[in-house]
Amino acid sequence: MKKIVYIFLFFTYAGLLSQTVKITYQAFANVNDYKEQTTDSEIIKSMDAFLAQEFIYDLYYKDGISLFLKEKTNQHDNSENKIIEVGATDQTYKDQKENLYVKQADFFGRDFLITDNLLPIDWVLIDEEKKIGPYLCKKAITSSDDTTVEAWYSPDIAIPDGPMDYWGLPGLIVELQYKNLTYKLTSINYKTNYSISKPTKGKVIKKLDFQNIEKEKLQELENGIFNDNY
């Protein structure tokens, strides 16, 4: 009887993963880190109002292909707050079978289609565990842009993916800490009719070339200048 039950449960779980899974995350910003960047009281007030919003992201996953994007219902008009939300319409597509990475990125009103190989992430697995909601998670770290990225993944959820560009752990990333942001899993829906499509909008560019443009333009902003000829 036990063998029959185990076989039934295995095929049920495999059947669920053959459908598109919707994984929802909520992102939280470290407000204090952002406030340290300015002493302007009006900007701080606008920042408080902006960061008080809910930032909800969805990861759609099926058979090694995924799409990570922000929920449209949470893309607010922040014109009164004078806060520019960079990346609100970004979409990150990962195809683990074809080793393909495509990201549709809006950078200061200009669309880019970052297309490159999906490179493996050099994770270091740490012998630490913690309970996040109902999931017993294990810790892993990696480095990105001279920043340590911390991930907590659940080996019980056989989806080797996660928020943003991060993937490749032996289980779903339940919590991710990247710079001033923390992404936390809030729900999983194993039965959706969502059809994952590869992003197509924007100027095609390699990942490293786009990162160089980002660094250059952000440095120009810090220096009080901005050349939009790029």
Side-chain angles (χ1 to χ4, degrees):
M1 178 61 69
K2 286 186 178 180
K3 288 184 179 180
I4 295 174
V5 172
Y6 290 151
I7 291 171
F8 173 76
L9 289 176
F10 171 78
F11 280 109
T12 301
Y13 188 67
L16 289 174
L17 288 185
S18 68
Q19 296 179 296
T20 300
V21 182
K22 179 183 178 182
I23 303 151
T24 301
Y25 294 91
Q26 185 168 359
F28 303 88
N30 187 326
V31 179
N32 291 330
D33 285 354
Y34 285 102
K35 286 182 177 179
E36 289 175 0
Q37 301 175 17
T38 182
T39 57
D40 188 307
S41 60
E42 286 300 316
I43 293 179
I44 291 175
K45 182 179 177 182
S46 296
M47 205 175 290
D48 284 338
F50 176 70
L51 295 176
Q53 304 173 50
E54 282 191 342
F55 295 90
I56 308 298
Y57 293 82
D58 294 323
L59 174 69
Y60 293 94
Y61 179 92
K62 181 180 180 179
D63 297 332
I65 297 175
S66 66
L67 185 69
F68 180 73
L69 68 166
K70 190 177 181 185
E71 282 196 358
K72 292 181 179 179
T73 54
N74 289 277
Q75 292 173 5
H76 303 284
D77 179 9
N78 300 296
S79 56
E80 293 184 2
N81 291 335
K82 300 178 181 178
I83 299 292
I84 299 174
E85 185 180 359
V86 177
T89 59
D90 288 2
Q91 298 183 24
T92 303
Y93 174 93
K94 302 188 288 276
D95 186 336
Q96 298 177 23
K97 294 180 180 179
E98 299 295 329
N99 293 322
L100 177 63
Y101 171 91
V102 180
K103 181 175 181 179
Q104 183 175 296
D106 174 6
F107 188 65
F108 291 104
R110 188 161 299 187
D111 294 316
F112 289 91
L113 193 66
I114 306 158
T115 306
D116 221 319
N117 294 324
L118 181 65
L119 299 177
I121 296 175
D122 187 18
W123 291 108
V124 178
L125 304 184
I126 308 297
D127 189 20
E128 291 183 31
E129 293 182 339
K130 75 173 180 178
K131 199 80 177 291
I132 303 176
Y135 308 108
L136 182 62
C137 299
K138 297 188 176 184
K139 184 179 179 179
I141 59 172
T142 189
S143 295
S144 177
D145 299 327
D146 299 321
T147 300
T148 298
V149 179
E150 181 178 297
W152 291 89
Y153 66 96
S154 172
D156 296 329
I157 309 175
I159 297 176
D161 216 321
M164 302 171 60
D165 296 356
Y166 297 97
W167 69 287
L169 284 167
L172 178 68
I173 296 176
V174 174
E175 180 177 302
L176 181 79
Q177 296 178 21
Y178 171 78
K179 294 186 177 179
N180 298 323
L181 288 173
T182 300
Y183 293 86
K184 286 190 177 181
L185 174 69
T186 59
S187 67
I188 303 178
N189 182 354
Y190 287 97
K191 294 183 179 181
T192 72
N193 296 320
Y194 189 89
S195 179
I196 299 174
S197 299
K198 184 168 56 179
T200 58
K201 183 180 178 181
K203 176 184 176 181
V204 177
I205 189 171
K206 290 290 186 181
K207 191 173 185 179
L208 181 58
D209 293 335
F210 179 76
Q211 289 172 340
N212 289 335
I213 290 175
E214 272 188 314
K215 291 177 182 178
E216 178 185 341
K217 297 307 169 186
L218 292 175
Q219 186 61 55
E220 287 180 359
L221 283 176
E222 289 183 11
N223 295 335
I225 58 174
F226 188 80
N227 181 4
D228 62 357
N229 185 22
Y230 63 96

